[in-house]
Amino acid sequence: MLRLASQGASLALSSNSLCNSHIASLACSGLRLWSAAFTTTSNSVPEKLHVCVVGSGPAGFYTVDRLLKRYGDRVHVSILDRLPTPFGLVRSGVAPDHQDTKNVTNQFSSIAADPRVSFLGNVLVGRDVDVNELRALHHAVVLAYGAESDRRLGIPGEDVVPGGGVFSAREFVWWYNGHPDARHLHIDLSKVRSVAVCGIGNVALDCARTLLAPPSRFVHTDLAAHALTQLMGDHQTGGGSAVREVHLVARRGPVQAACTPKELKELLTDCGVSARTAAPDQLTVSEADSAEMKATRLKRRVFELVSKAVADASAADAAAGAAGGSSPQRRRDLFFQFYRNPVEVLRGPDGAVTGLRVERTVVRPDGPGGTSVAVGSGMFDTIPCEMVLKSIGYKSLPVQGVAFDCRRGIIPNVAGRVLQQADASASSPTSASTSGSAEGGPDEVAAANVGLYVVGWLKRGPTGIIGTNLVDAEETVDSLAGDAEALLRAGEMSHGSAGPPGAAGLEALLRQRGVRVVGWRRWRLLDEHELAAGRAAGRVREKVTEVREMLRVCGFAVE
Amino acid sequence: MLRFCTHVLRAHGIAASGSSIGFTTVPFFRWSAWLHTSVPNYHKPNSLIDGQEKVDITYIDKEGKEHTVAAQIGENLLEVAHDNEIDLEGACEGSLACSTCHLIFESEDYYKKLPEATEDELDMLDLAFGLTDTSRLGCQVVVTKELDGARVRIPAASRNFYVDGHKPKPH
């Protein structure tokens, strides 16, 4: 297969040089490859292109979408997920009070129900089947499994066990969204009064909103039942969450904040919180910041929203003070701790978190690539808290048999074509952002692992919104299409005129191994079960949060 | 609109799943029959409702191909695109929770005729790929008589998407 792949690579080179310049000619390449399929073999049976997509979040589904649009009846796609449930972060990341954002699952469901697509849930690549086996069964494999790990703070006190109390935002979001892997995290909000969230992107805001907004906001959503119980309390657990303040801890200032206006406005106006800063320096902006705000509406909006909210809360305090008497404030506090860099998680004698020690920073505009960088000032504060959430970035995990760039946390690639192991270290830091220059020279293209592709966060790093994956998938599918002719020929050489068996072969292999594959119909049983349970409770959906229970509902016999 | 409905139906396993959305003919036909009492013509749903005014809108798709369609006054540009099988994404189905229906007005004159975008639309538009001074979200632009002859472009990723000025977007 490797020999064939290298032959394929030289073919890919020639087809690339022909197709390089025009997007329109990529459409023509679709026609060319079919005529090639007709003329290459003596049997002239038009082949299907068999593709396997690993991961069923937006990156995976948009990839399937583009493949179906490009190849019509001439493609069959297997789409795998390690969970019985599809949709990746649309199910387990998007906040429960953002149901509209989940509308995209209607489109994805339509794709999965298409007879040209085989969804295979509850299949873990690395345990149930490996990448090489997938490559042997399909013409091409596209890795789309996202980022299921986290960047670390790398500070003392971060990982003390027992003690706990420190979680990544990913884990906390998985927890309240009912992801089976986070179901049993040791989170007890009845013992937490203050939470320090490191980071100020939209995920940090989601965490703050879930912790601070009145829990009634989530009652009718698909927030996981165990999380709702903790927020609201009941006769067993008592009064519910004790959280009264959340600190958003950001190393730099408001103009560098990664959050966006829509989410910020929601948090500041819809959730009954009072916005605060802990010190006057925290809303200062530099001249460079002011210039940037003038040029960029988004930045201006963020700064205005925060400053106004803080000013309004001060004014409200002053008015309440002037009116005299105790304020009947039930509002919870949201602290914008700009210019604070976490340096230590403080713990008591029993190991429980008591605070986050931070160093005040000064922002200098002379970082790498012209970015601003925060520098310590030697002044320290302690933010009292009982839980710390790290919302400083997701990170992808490597998969066996495929090169991985540990520094950037991505699979090294050029325009979505995965680079071979030997060239992984050569993926140049000068190639912009993450996926490298689309102008990859002949050496890089020749070294590409023909037939193996990557898309989504695994390809470009954990940034962007759902729709960003659409453009990304187009690029990866364009690369795949450029190689398709070579891949089809390679498939014929190794499997005969019918090519590799694709999804049918994969299903047979998994059956042989006793893997309980959750196909689309079985997922729909689980889906209907959750929707019906939700209806009965006046909720959008009542999620099943344990894999065993999911499999039982899907119709598998479980002990 | 029809495509959206088909999505929802097929997602729940109801409509026929004979082929993809882009190639399907039977489900549209069935839908048309269900929705309209007059004889259905799935290619031109706008003509079903007699007397409704239409204007010409030209969409330029990602491959640069032009599609001039008869757009019904009162529909938004995302609905019109889907009615005419034009490849314009609408991930959040028109609820201002994404920016995938981003359209660029080729002429500033037509752009200026539009009622101003709300702050909510601008907040989402700020995140759109390839933002320009004449950009709008298709789902927020309602067809009026004044838009007759308007040309809108669906932004495509350039070859150098990841090199030229690509800024990692927040999420």
Side-chain angles (χ1 to χ4, degrees):
Chain A
M1 188 62 188
L2 287 173
R3 250 184 301 125
L4 296 169
S6 63
Q7 280 180 320
S10 52
L11 289 168
L13 249 181
S14 57
S15 64
N16 266 342
S17 53
L18 286 170
C19 295
N20 253 359
S21 39
H22 278 295
I23 295 168
S25 64
L26 286 169
C28 292
S29 75
L31 287 170
R32 279 179 48 231
L33 77 86
W34 299 127
S35 56
F38 272 103
T39 53
T40 304
T41 65
S42 51
N43 289 344
S44 294
V45 173
E47 293 170 278
K48 273 193 199 207
L49 184 68
H50 290 280
V51 183
C52 182
V53 176
V54 179
S56 70
F61 266 109
Y62 278 132
T63 299
V64 179
D65 183 52
R66 295 293 121 180
L67 285 167
L68 295 183
K69 286 202 164 89
R70 185 184 280 266
Y71 291 113
D73 284 336
R74 298 285 189 244
V75 68
H76 195 100
V77 190
S78 321
I79 177 166
L80 273 51
D81 203 289
R82 69 176 179 88
L83 292 179
T85 56
F87 309 135
L89 283 173
V90 182
R91 175 178 166 102
S92 64
V94 173
D97 51 351
H98 290 172
Q99 288 296 317
D100 283 341
T101 306
K102 299 187 189 230
N103 285 344
V104 72
T105 59
N106 291 329
Q107 182 187 355
F108 293 166
S109 294
S110 187
I111 291 166
D114 193 296
R116 295 168 292 167
V117 180
S118 301
F119 172 75
L120 291 98
N122 197 40
V123 176
L124 176 59
V125 175
R127 177 193 68 197
D128 301 323
V129 64
D130 66 41
V131 173
N132 288 329
E133 289 172 321
L134 293 178
R135 295 185 69 182
L137 289 164
H138 300 81
H139 292 103
V141 172
V142 184
L143 301 174
Y145 63 77
E148 294 194 319
S149 180
D150 317 290
R151 290 182 66 203
R152 293 171 41 74
L153 287 167
I155 61 177
E158 183 174 2
D159 296 310
V160 172
V161 178
V166 178
F167 304 94
S168 67
R170 172 189 60 88
E171 290 173 310
F172 182 65
V173 170
W174 271 7
W175 175 79
Y176 68 64
N177 269 332
H179 193 295
D181 288 5
R183 173 69 182 86
H184 300 287
L185 285 180
H186 293 157
I187 291 171
D188 184 355
L189 297 178
S190 68
K191 298 192 164 62
V192 176
R193 193 188 172 281
S194 168
V195 180
V197 180
C198 301
I200 190 165
N202 286 339
V203 182
L205 299 194
D206 279 350
C207 293
R209 204 170 65 253
T210 305
L211 289 165
L212 292 176
S216 54
R217 184 181 178 84
F218 300 103
V219 161
H220 301 295
T221 68
D222 57 2
L223 184 98
H226 59 263
L228 192 62
T229 302
Q230 283 219 24
L231 290 179
M232 300 200 60
D234 64 15
H235 64 276
Q236 281 176 324
T237 61
S241 169
V243 175
R244 291 295 172 269
E245 57 188 57
V246 167
H247 299 258
L248 295 168
V249 182
R251 287 179 302 178
R252 296 177 296 171
V255 177
Q256 290 76 43
C259 59
T260 52
K262 179 182 178 189
E263 287 72 14
L264 197 51
K265 181 173 160 189
E266 177 187 28
L267 178 57
L268 293 172
T269 59
D270 284 355
C271 300
V273 304
S274 296
R276 304 189 181 287
T277 49
D281 71 295
Q282 291 183 310
L283 284 180
T284 56
V285 293
S286 66
E287 260 184 53
D289 287 344
S290 300
E292 196 176 341
M293 281 197 279
K294 266 213 183 82
T296 314
R297 179 185 174 271
L298 193 154
K299 295 291 178 190
R300 204 162 59 239
R301 283 274 289 155
V302 168
F303 182 72
E304 282 166 359
L305 284 164
V306 176
S307 341
K308 183 174 188 303
V310 171
D312 287 350
S314 292
D317 281 354
S326 60
S327 159
Q329 289 277 41
R330 283 287 129 83
R331 294 172 81 85
R332 295 166 168 177
D333 290 326
L334 176 67
F335 283 85
F336 285 89
Q337 298 269 13
F338 289 115
Y339 305 111
R340 300 292 181 269
N341 183 32
V343 297
E344 187 178 352
V345 176
L346 304 170
R347 294 177 182 270
D350 59 350
V353 172
T354 59
L356 182 70
R357 190 159 149 82
V358 296
E359 183 177 15
R360 296 196 185 192
T361 64
V362 171
V363 177
R364 291 223 301 256
D366 51 355
T371 58
S372 55
V373 65
V375 179
S377 67
M379 285 168 39
F380 296 85
D381 296 314
T382 294
I383 299 172
C385 60
E386 292 78 38
M387 184 160 90
V388 176
L389 296 179
K390 298 177 284 184
S391 189
I392 56 174
Y394 290 65
K395 205 165 169 187
S396 290
L397 293 167
V399 68
Q400 189 163 45
V402 182
F404 190 72
D405 181 339
C406 290
R407 190 178 57 83
R408 286 188 293 178
I410 58 162
I411 288 182
N413 68 92
V414 173
R417 287 190 180 93
V418 173
L419 295 175
Q420 282 181 358
Q421 202 79 31
D423 297 286
S425 49
S427 63
S428 160
T430 59
S431 38
S433 40
T434 55
S435 58
S437 166
E439 306 284 348
D443 287 341
E444 280 178 295
V445 174
N449 229 324
V450 178
L452 187 61
Y453 305 86
V454 68
V455 69
W457 280 4
L458 188 57
K459 168 187 175 189
R460 61 178 202 276
T463 61
I465 52 178
I466 289 172
T468 315
N469 293 292
L470 180 60
V471 176
D472 191 339
E474 279 175 352
E475 186 189 57
T476 292
V477 171
D478 278 354
S479 295
L480 196 161
D483 300 339
E485 204 173 313
L487 294 171
L488 283 167
R489 292 215 200 115
E492 273 171 26
M493 292 210 250
S494 49
H495 290 92
S497 61
L506 178 56
E507 280 160 356
L509 178 65
L510 294 169
R511 210 165 23 241
Q512 205 179 27
R513 291 180 176 169
V515 176
R516 289 176 292 191
V517 175
V518 174
W520 195 249
R521 277 203 217 101
R522 286 192 192 267
W523 150 246
R524 289 283 300 119
L525 288 174
L526 176 57
D527 192 19
E528 279 306 324
H529 173 97
E530 290 186 337
L531 291 169
R535 269 193 301 272
R539 312 188 73 206
V540 164
R541 171 185 297 269
E542 191 61 77
K543 285 180 177 171
V544 174
T545 60
E546 306 264 20
V547 172
R548 269 185 86 252
E549 179 61 14
M550 289 178 183
L551 294 176
R552 190 193 65 77
V553 169
C554 283
F556 287 109
V558 289
E559 311 78 46
Chain B
M1 190 57 187
L2 287 175
R3 179 173 143 168
F4 160 61
C5 294
T6 314
H7 277 138
V8 175
L9 282 189
R10 299 227 332 239
H12 293 276
I14 296 168
S17 52
S19 49
S20 81
I21 301 290
F23 295 87
T24 201
T25 57
V26 176
F28 274 115
F29 184 87
R30 283 200 199 145
W31 254 118
S32 299
W34 190 84
L35 280 174
H36 307 289
T37 52
S38 50
V39 173
N41 177 344
Y42 61 83
H43 272 308
K44 290 191 173 68
N46 299 323
S47 60
L48 294 171
I49 302 169
D50 289 339
Q52 288 279 3
E53 272 201 85
K54 280 148 282 192
V55 296
D56 282 339
I57 306 273
T58 300
Y59 289 81
I60 301 154
D61 70 20
K62 288 178 187 173
E63 268 101 52
K65 186 164 161 232
E66 298 199 3
H67 309 257
T68 301
V69 304
Q72 200 165 305
I73 287 177
E75 285 207 341
N76 67 58
L77 290 184
L78 177 62
E79 287 169 332
V80 171
H82 288 177
D83 287 346
N84 292 279
E85 292 175 31
I86 289 166
D87 190 10
L88 178 66
E89 287 295 325
C92 76
E93 292 164 4
S95 56
L96 277 182
C98 77
S99 56
T100 57
C101 67
H102 172 211
L103 290 172
I104 298 167
F105 279 79
E106 294 272 270
S107 148
E108 211 180 318
D109 292 333
Y110 280 106
Y111 174 78
K112 286 200 175 122
K113 288 186 179 145
L114 304 171
E116 256 189 56
T118 61
E119 201 138 65
D120 287 344
E121 179 186 344
L122 289 173
D123 282 345
M124 291 319 301
L125 204 47
D126 275 342
L127 305 177
F129 164 71
L131 190 64
T132 69
D133 289 334
T134 57
S135 284
R136 290 294 300 265
L137 293 182
C139 67
Q140 301 301 302
V141 176
V142 176
V143 177
T144 61
K145 250 196 281 204
E146 291 171 308
L147 287 187
D148 194 15
R151 293 162 56 79
V152 291
R153 187 160 47 88
I154 302 170
S158 64
R159 245 200 105 76
N160 293 313
F161 171 56
Y162 286 105
V163 176
D164 297 340
H166 172 65
K167 287 193 170 71
K169 290 274 162 55
H171 60 272

